[in-house]
Amino acid sequence: AQKITQTQPGMFVQEKEAVTLDCTYDTSDPSYGLFWYKQPSSGEMIFLIYQGSYDQQNATEGRYSLNFQKARKSANLVISASQLGDSAMYFCAMREWDGAQKLVFGQGTRLTINP
Amino acid sequence: NAGVTQTPKFQVLKTGQSMTLQCAQDMNHEYMSWYRQDPGMGLRLIHYSVGAGITDQGEVPNGYNVSRSTTEDFPLRLLSAAPSQTSVYFCASKLRTGGVNTEAFFGQGTRLTVV
């Protein structure tokens, strides 16, 4: 079963607008972590933000925030005031509390910021 | 501090050839892993290691071997390359301590084409 689902293959947003990238997850483990990574056209994976399953508040890192709705099992990434440099692939990932602590990734969303 | 270093960055192989993708990290991370990235499928785990001398299979291990003789190095061996192994390969590492909430650091990726 798909553990991480990103339902938006592509999104187009005007510069300076806010954008929400969707991510839903599936786990029966009460302890887990959710991550967002950015992959620009150069190919590297850049860590953006983390949310723990026990965190009471939504995570924020600069222009990035994570809208964590535990009951709905969703962990959407919100980018405020988008910039041209935000154009990239974005991956949602989850790590469960097992010995291996493996990361499981979604299929990704390609975000394009238009000037 | 170089982080996670992958070599080579690009490689073209003929069907049936073997080769080793190198991965080295200088952060003294216990956990290391290999992923492959194919279009529309996100990153999928090939093999991982929780420490020197310990390796295990991920989601798509067939056709690949790994070993972990030192903390720093985690090479990925393609035994007999097939066109289906054309992909971008990422090596990642993370600390064991901190549990689910520690980010993984990724190498720059190796783009492999099998003809």
Side-chain angles (χ1 to χ4, degrees):
Chain A
Q2 191 81 19
K3 289 204 169 188
I4 295 284
T5 303
Q6 295 179 252
T7 57
Q8 307 152 308
M11 286 196 67
F12 296 85
V13 173
Q14 287 298 118
E15 190 179 9
K16 298 181 185 176
E17 289 184 350
V19 57
T20 297
L21 305 182
D22 294 341
C23 173
T24 57
Y25 61 92
D26 183 28
T27 182
S28 56
D29 193 331
S31 180
Y32 53 89
L34 296 156
F35 301 78
W36 278 92
Y37 284 85
K38 172 184 179 182
Q39 186 180 43
S41 57
S42 51
E44 70 268 31
M45 296 291 287
I46 302 169
F47 166 73
L48 294 178
I49 196 166
Y50 162 82
Q51 180 83 43
S53 59
Y54 295 116
D55 293 343
Q56 296 296 313
Q57 293 189 333
N58 287 342
T60 59
E61 290 285 349
R63 293 187 300 113
Y64 304 108
S65 60
L66 202 152
N67 184 359
F68 181 47
Q69 298 190 40
K70 196 170 182 177
R72 293 186 175 184
K73 292 188 175 179
S74 74
N76 298 340
L77 177 69
V78 180
I79 306 174
S80 63
S82 57
Q83 302 171 356
L84 296 178
D86 294 331
S87 293
M89 282 289 287
Y90 288 81
F91 291 98
C92 180
M94 178 175 68
R95 177 180 290 134
E96 294 171 312
W97 185 262
D98 62 15
Q101 297 189 27
K102 296 170 282 188
L103 267 179
V104 178
F105 285 83
Q107 309 94 313
T109 295
R110 182 169 298 281
L111 175 64
T112 302
I113 308 298
N114 295 316
Chain B
N1 192 341
V4 181
T5 303
Q6 289 183 237
T7 55
K9 289 187 169 50
F10 301 94
Q11 183 71 49
V12 178
L13 284 180
K14 292 183 178 179
T15 298
Q17 285 185 318
S18 63
M19 79 158 296
T20 299
L21 306 185
Q22 301 292 345
C23 176
Q25 52 91 10
D26 61 0
M27 297 173 284
N28 207 29
H29 286 174
E30 295 91 345
Y31 287 100
M32 295 186 75
S33 50
W34 277 101
Y35 293 84
R36 61 178 287 173
Q37 182 180 17
D38 301 299
M41 302 189 73
L43 277 72
R44 293 181 294 166
L45 183 64
I46 305 171
H47 285 286
Y48 65 95
S49 170
V50 301
I54 306 169
T55 63
D56 207 344
Q57 297 179 351
E59 181 185 355
V60 287
N62 292 341
Y64 307 96
N65 268 357
V66 292
S67 60
R68 183 97 180 269
S69 56
T70 67
T71 300
E72 295 79 18
D73 300 300
F74 191 44
L76 178 72
R77 297 182 188 85
L78 280 69
L79 308 173
S80 177
S84 60
Q85 293 179 303
T86 294
S87 188
V88 180
Y89 291 84
F90 286 96
C91 179
S93 73
K94 72 176 286 290
L95 282 170
R96 183 187 65 195
T97 55
V100 295
N101 64 345
T102 48
E103 66 184 270
F105 292 82
F106 284 81
Q108 296 279 42
T110 295
R111 186 174 295 275
L112 175 69
T113 302
V114 182
V115 298

